[in-house]
């Protein structure tokens, strides 16, 4: 098939607007999968995706479609719609000439729709606006068209109206793809250039790379080299996804396909990298930018005997998710574990859920933290070698407060779309989370789009849930990173010794309140001991709160009036057992549960 009859496109939409359903219909219409095969959402392969109804990994499919007597090759790239996975959306779009912007005809434009629109718009892609779910009783295509007009200047006559569920209007979608999207400007006679835009691990063939060829051809047995790492590989197998893998002997410019080439480690498959024929001198297609983890958490086995199991589970999961970073970590309270970096909170939750579901491990997570920027007090040395600015994602690794000149926290620009009856509640939530409003516009008669500047650490913990709760599920949220702003370090001291597990970074205006609250909570949770314990909160070196836990010997048999001797023995044995699980922190024996309790929130 010549490039003129190839179309590469992606479906982008807010979560639940029907991307996966439309992808299923496209596969059925082209005969790639049987109609009513009972397989819904063929492209969502992971259990967690089925359960949560979201797409986590982008998946692709190549299908053939006959139009006006010609056969076209359509490469569909399904993308995850969630904010946390926007890097996947990004890289998928690099292989496309256009997108289907899918909008629920009932829910209308949502925060993610806005983010996705600008992503595609910024990449100069042709946008085909499509309203989905027109079969719904409450569908209001007129109102949604008005929103598209006021936000994106899209005219009503450009908008397709379909029901992915019932299959209504799907043919119009195919026609629009063929007629409105340009064909890829590729050249198979040029030197090979292939954009690597996804990869996963296969037990038998090792790393599989999903690539989009802009120039040249690639055959089994070819020697290829990575532009970024300069490492070379021999092409072992080639296949197209239809969506099931189908082996081919070569791939040509304009096509999307899968390469296996004895890449041993997932780390070698760099998303955004360009592959070329070994020995050729070509220019890389895209500037290579690795995705940056923004949310970090410690993960520890519930029981140290499970350490090995948990490690192998984490390693396996990381093979299929190159965005997660892993570093070993130890904590006096929780033992040996790891510190993991994620793109966002949902990414973290999905990873954790997969650890449990797919690998049956039991583990606990420390409170998520974000990456902070710290300016150290100038010394001759750090000025000389430029180490006066450091980035820290673990409160335990914070430099001593005496050395810190100023600390900064990451902030984001958040977009919220909501019916106006929830406006008041949402504005007070944002204020509570230290947000500053930067923009507010009406997008139709009763819906508003708000923009806020918010600290990232305030939204990584349950912001999205709170927003959904106060708006009965109607408000939607999306964010973009927007640099750093000044903040403070809160430390918890037990009898004068700092406990790293309980330290956190908070905004200077809230440090005192949070510190006091933490002391009270700990006083409740920590079991009394034989010695008195002073619980203190320290902010930037100043004590802002203190509670005292009086000494006390807990006698578990006190209530038993002496009577039953065997029962008394049993309880004393249990108490002894309990003591073994204690850990000594700051010379105070604390049960592990204390930390778990505090970190659970
Ligand atoms: P995604 O998150 O964008 O991939 O959305 P899904 O394809 O998973 O669809 C979300 C929900 O909307 C599912 O329950 C679908 O059955 C439903 N849905 C998708 N398209 C339609 C449609 O055209 N009409 C109706 N009534 N429901 C639909
Ligand atoms: Mg989906």
């Amino acid at each position: 098939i010549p490039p003129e009859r190839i179309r590469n496109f992606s479906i982008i939409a807010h979560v639940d607007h029907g991307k996966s359903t439309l992808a299923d219909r496209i596969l059925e219409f082209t005969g790639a999968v049987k109609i009513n095969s009972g397989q819904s959402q063929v492209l969502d392969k992971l259990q967690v995706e089925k359960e949560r109804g979201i797409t986590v990994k982008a998946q692709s499919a190549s299908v053939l479609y006959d139009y006006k007597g010609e056969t076209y090759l359509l490469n569909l790239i399904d993308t995850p719609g969630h904010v946390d996975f926007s890097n996947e959306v990004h890289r998928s779009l690099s292989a496309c000439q256009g997108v289907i912007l899918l909008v629920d005809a009932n829910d209308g434009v949502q925060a993610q729709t806005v983010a996705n629109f600008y992503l595609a718009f910024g990449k100069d892609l042709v946008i085909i606006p499509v309203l989905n779910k027109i079969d719904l009783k409450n569908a209001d295509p007129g109102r949604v068209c008005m929103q598209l007009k006021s936000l994106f200047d899209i005219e009503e006559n450009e908008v397709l109206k379909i029901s992915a569920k019932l299959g209504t209007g799907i043919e119009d979608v195919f026609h629009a793809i063929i007629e409105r999207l340009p064909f890829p400007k590729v050249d198979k006679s040029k030197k090979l250039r292939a954009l690597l835009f996804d990869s996963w691990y296969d037990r038998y063939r090792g790393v599989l790379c999903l690539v989009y060829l802009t120039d040249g051809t690639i055959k089994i047995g070819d020697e290829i080299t990575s532009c970024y790492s300069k490492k070379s590989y021999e092409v072992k197998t080639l296949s197209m996804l239809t969506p099931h893998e189908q082996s081919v002997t070569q791939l040509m410019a304009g096509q999307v396909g899968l390469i296996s080439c004895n890449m041993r480690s997932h780390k070698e498959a760099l998303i955004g990298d360009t592959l070329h024929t070994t020995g050729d001198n070509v220019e890389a297609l895209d500037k290579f930018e690795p995705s940056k983890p923004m949310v970090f958490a410690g993960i520890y086995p519930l029981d140290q005997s499970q350490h090995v199991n948990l490690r192998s589970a984490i390693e396996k999961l990381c093979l299929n998710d190159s965005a997660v970073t892993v570093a070993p970590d130890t904590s006096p309270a929780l033992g040996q574990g790891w510190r993991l970096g994620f793109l966002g909170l949902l990414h973290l939750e999905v990873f954790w859920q997969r650890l449990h579901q797919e690998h049956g491990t039991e583990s606990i997570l420390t409170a998520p933290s974000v990456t902070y920027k710290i300016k150290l007090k100038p010394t001759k040395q750090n000025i000389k070698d430029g180490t006066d600015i450091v980035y820290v994602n673990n409160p335990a690794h914070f430099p001593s407060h005496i050395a810190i000149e100023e600390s900064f926290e990451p902030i984001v620009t958040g977009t919220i779309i909501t019916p106006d009856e929830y406006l008041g509640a949402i504005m007070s939530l944002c204020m509570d989370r230290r947000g500053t409003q930067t923009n507010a516009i009406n997008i139709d008669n009763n819906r508003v789009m708000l923009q806020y500047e918010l600290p990232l650490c305030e939204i990584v913990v349950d912001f999205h849930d709170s927003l959904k709760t106060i708006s009965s599920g109607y408000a939607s949220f999306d964010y973009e990173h927007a640099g750093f702003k000044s903040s403070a370090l809160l430390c918890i001291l037990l009898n004068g010794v700092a406990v790293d597990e309980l330290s956190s970074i908070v905004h200077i205006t809230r440090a005192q309140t949070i510190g006091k609250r933490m002391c009270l909570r700990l006083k409740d949770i920590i079991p009394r001991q034989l010695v008195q314990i002073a619980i203190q909160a320290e902010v930037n070196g100043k004590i802002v709160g203190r509670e005292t836990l009086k000494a006390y010997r807990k006698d578990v048999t006190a209530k038993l009036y002496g009577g039953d001797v065997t029962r008394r023995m049993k309880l004393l044995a249990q108490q002894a057992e309990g003591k073994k699980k204690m850990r000594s922190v700051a010379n105070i024996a604390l049960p592990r549960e204390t930390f778990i309790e505090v970190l659970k929130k």
Side-chain angles (χ1 to χ4, degrees):
I1 289 177
E4 295 76 38
R5 279 189 270 128
I6 296 177
R7 299 291 182 275
N8 297 315
F9 69 101
S10 195
I11 307 172
I12 56 177
H14 191 76
V15 65
D16 276 350
H17 282 196
K19 284 183 305 291
S20 303
T21 310
L22 177 59
D24 283 353
R25 281 305 89 72
I26 288 176
L27 296 180
E28 286 177 5
F29 261 75
T30 53
V33 297
K34 279 208 200 78
I35 297 183
N36 292 332
S37 59
Q39 278 178 288
S40 76
Q41 313 205 332
V42 187
L43 297 178
D44 287 352
K45 286 178 192 149
L46 304 170
Q47 187 187 347
V48 53
E49 293 183 332
K50 296 235 152 86
E51 235 166 66
R52 290 184 172 233
I54 54 162
T55 308
V56 174
K57 297 272 311 163
Q59 306 279 0
S60 295
S62 303
V63 295
L64 296 174
Y65 186 80
D66 290 327
Y67 182 60
K68 294 188 178 162
E70 305 262 33
T71 300
Y72 287 81
L73 173 65
L74 310 181
N75 294 313
L76 153 68
I77 292 155
D78 188 29
T79 69
H82 196 274
V83 284
D84 282 3
F85 306 103
S86 60
N87 71 322
E88 303 242 349
V89 181
H90 226 290
R91 72 170 86 129
S92 306
L93 293 185
S94 302
C96 298
Q97 284 75 47
V99 297
I100 292 174
L101 180 70
L102 202 60
V103 185
D104 187 317
N106 178 29
D107 287 355
V109 172
Q110 298 291 318
Q112 190 68 45
T113 319
V114 178
N116 282 327
F117 172 86
Y118 282 108
L119 207 58
F121 191 72
K123 282 185 169 276
D124 251 342
L125 300 177
V126 174
I127 294 165
I128 303 174
V130 177
L131 299 192
N132 187 27
K133 310 198 189 181
I134 52 159
D135 59 293
L136 289 177
K137 250 207 335 271
N138 294 326
D140 190 348
R143 189 169 57 96
V144 183
C145 283
M146 185 152 94
Q147 297 173 350
L148 292 173
K149 173 75 185 153
S150 65
L151 279 169
F152 313 130
D153 208 21
I154 289 173
E155 299 296 338
E156 176 148 14
N157 61 13
E158 297 171 45
V159 182
L160 304 182
K161 301 181 179 85
I162 69 162
S163 163
K165 191 172 175 185
L166 304 181
T168 323
I170 305 297
E171 233 120 43
D172 297 339
V173 175
F174 282 111
H175 300 169
I177 290 167
I178 292 169
E179 284 173 359
R180 297 193 204 171
L181 301 192
F183 59 85
K185 298 285 174 293
V186 295
D187 192 342
K188 68 176 184 190
S189 61
K190 276 203 195 153
K191 287 175 181 169
L192 169 72
R193 283 199 297 177
L195 177 72
L196 198 168
F197 68 94
D198 200 2
S199 74
W200 54 93
Y201 191 79
D202 179 271
R203 255 206 299 169
Y204 305 104
R205 289 169 295 172
V207 179
L208 301 179
C209 300
L210 192 60
V211 297
Y212 166 59
L213 272 68
T214 58
D215 301 306
T217 54
I218 189 168
K219 290 188 290 298
I220 293 174
D222 283 355
E223 279 276 329
I224 52 172
T225 300
S226 144
C227 265
Y228 185 76
S229 71
K230 311 283 181 226
K231 282 192 182 154
S232 296
Y233 307 91
E234 184 191 333
V235 176
K236 293 289 182 190
T237 68
L238 290 172
S239 51
M240 285 174 74
L241 297 167
T242 64
H244 310 288
E245 266 194 74
Q246 197 178 333
S247 294
V248 292
T249 49
Q250 65 169 10
L251 288 170
M252 271 182 289
Q255 293 184 331
V256 173
L258 206 53
I259 299 180
S260 79
C261 56
N262 278 357
M263 251 184 211
R264 291 279 167 71
S265 153
H266 195 64
K267 301 219 164 61
E268 295 171 48
L270 300 158
I271 305 307
D273 197 356
T274 303
L275 303 173
H276 61 85
T277 307
T278 304
D280 277 358
N281 193 7
V282 300
E283 199 184 321
L285 289 165
D286 223 349
K287 210 177 90 212
F288 173 70
E289 268 181 70
S291 54
K292 283 187 212 73
M294 289 308 296
V295 174
F296 290 81
I299 188 163
Y300 294 88
L302 211 50
D303 189 313
Q304 283 293 328
S305 66
Q306 295 170 12
H307 189 270
V308 178
N309 278 346
L310 186 58
R311 182 176 61 202
S312 91
I314 290 174
E315 278 168 4
K316 280 191 194 122
L317 271 184
C318 288
L319 283 176
N320 279 314
D321 193 343
S322 58
V324 179
T325 61
V326 187
D329 202 7
T330 51
S331 137
L334 301 169
Q336 290 202 311
W338 298 268
R339 190 152 189 90
L340 306 186
F342 301 92
L343 301 171
L345 204 67
L346 182 84
H347 187 204
L348 179 157
E349 279 170 10
V350 165
F351 187 90
W352 204 46
Q353 191 180 344
R354 289 183 68 188
L355 264 184
H356 286 244
Q357 277 178 352
E358 295 167 29
H359 300 277
T361 58
E362 286 194 315
S363 55
I364 56 161
L365 279 174
T366 63
S369 70
V370 298
T371 302
Y372 294 88
K373 179 171 132 182
I374 295 166
K375 186 171 187 327
L376 299 171
K377 289 199 175 128
T379 61
K380 268 197 188 126
Q381 190 60 36
N382 70 24
I383 293 284
K384 193 173 142 227
D385 42 69
T387 49
D388 56 326
I389 302 267
V390 289
Y391 291 86
V392 182
N393 59 54
N394 185 347
H397 298 160
F398 245 63
S400 139
H401 64 257
I402 326 166
I404 298 178
E405 173 127 317
E406 197 174 2
S407 46
F408 302 85
E409 65 178 338
I411 52 164
V412 301
T413 308
T415 300
I416 298 168
I417 290 186
T418 177
D420 48 19
E421 64 246 57
Y422 307 109
L423 204 56
I426 290 173
M427 286 165 76
S428 73
L429 171 71
C430 290
M431 210 137 86
D432 198 41
R433 301 299 181 97
R434 302 192 276 127
T436 332
Q437 192 178 312
T438 55
N439 195 9
I441 59 169
N442 291 313
I443 63 167
D444 67 21
N445 301 334
N446 65 357
R447 251 161 235 259
V448 187
M449 179 174 86
L450 299 170
Q451 272 164 336
Y452 272 88
E453 187 176 272
L454 288 150
L456 179 62
C457 70
E458 295 281 349
I459 61 165
V460 293
V461 182
D462 78 12
F463 179 80
H464 202 242
D465 287 346
S466 306
L467 186 72
K468 286 284 174 199
T469 310
I470 59 176
S471 66
S472 310
Y474 286 113
S476 60
F477 175 69
D478 191 14
Y479 67 85
E480 261 176 84
H481 297 288
F484 287 87
K485 274 200 164 168
S486 212
S487 66
L489 171 66
L490 170 70
C491 255
I492 296 294
L493 313 180
L494 294 180
N495 283 349
V497 180
V499 183
D500 292 337
E501 289 85 352
L502 303 179
S503 298
S504 54
I505 294 132
V506 294
H507 193 260
I508 191 90
T509 55
R510 300 245 301 215
Q512 188 158 354
T513 324
I514 296 175
K516 281 187 173 156
R517 208 193 299 149
M518 194 83 162
C519 289
L520 274 172
R521 240 185 105 78
L522 283 168
K523 189 185 172 192
D524 266 357
I525 296 174
I526 299 177
R528 288 189 177 183
Q529 314 269 326
L530 287 171
V531 292
Q532 175 171 306
I533 303 176
I535 306 166
Q536 293 171 302
E538 186 194 76
V539 175
N540 283 352
K542 266 200 222 96
I543 302 292
V544 296
R546 178 191 166 115
E547 294 293 330
T548 308
L549 188 65
K550 293 226 171 67
Y552 172 69
R553 187 182 183 279
K554 194 175 175 193
D555 184 349
V556 288
T557 63
K559 285 189 208 126
L560 293 174
Y561 316 112
D564 186 339
V565 177
T566 46
R567 181 120 188 256
R568 190 181 151 86
M569 295 307 286
K570 205 166 141 194
L571 281 170
L572 284 172
Q574 270 173 15
Q575 190 185 22
E577 184 62 32
K579 273 188 183 150
K580 272 197 263 166
K581 288 191 190 146
M582 302 277 179
R583 281 169 197 273
S584 176
V585 173
N587 288 325
I588 300 160
L590 289 180
R592 225 164 156 256
E593 286 71 39
T594 303
F595 292 95
I596 296 172
E597 199 57 36
V598 175
L599 295 172
K600 263 190 199 157
K601 291 238 154 102

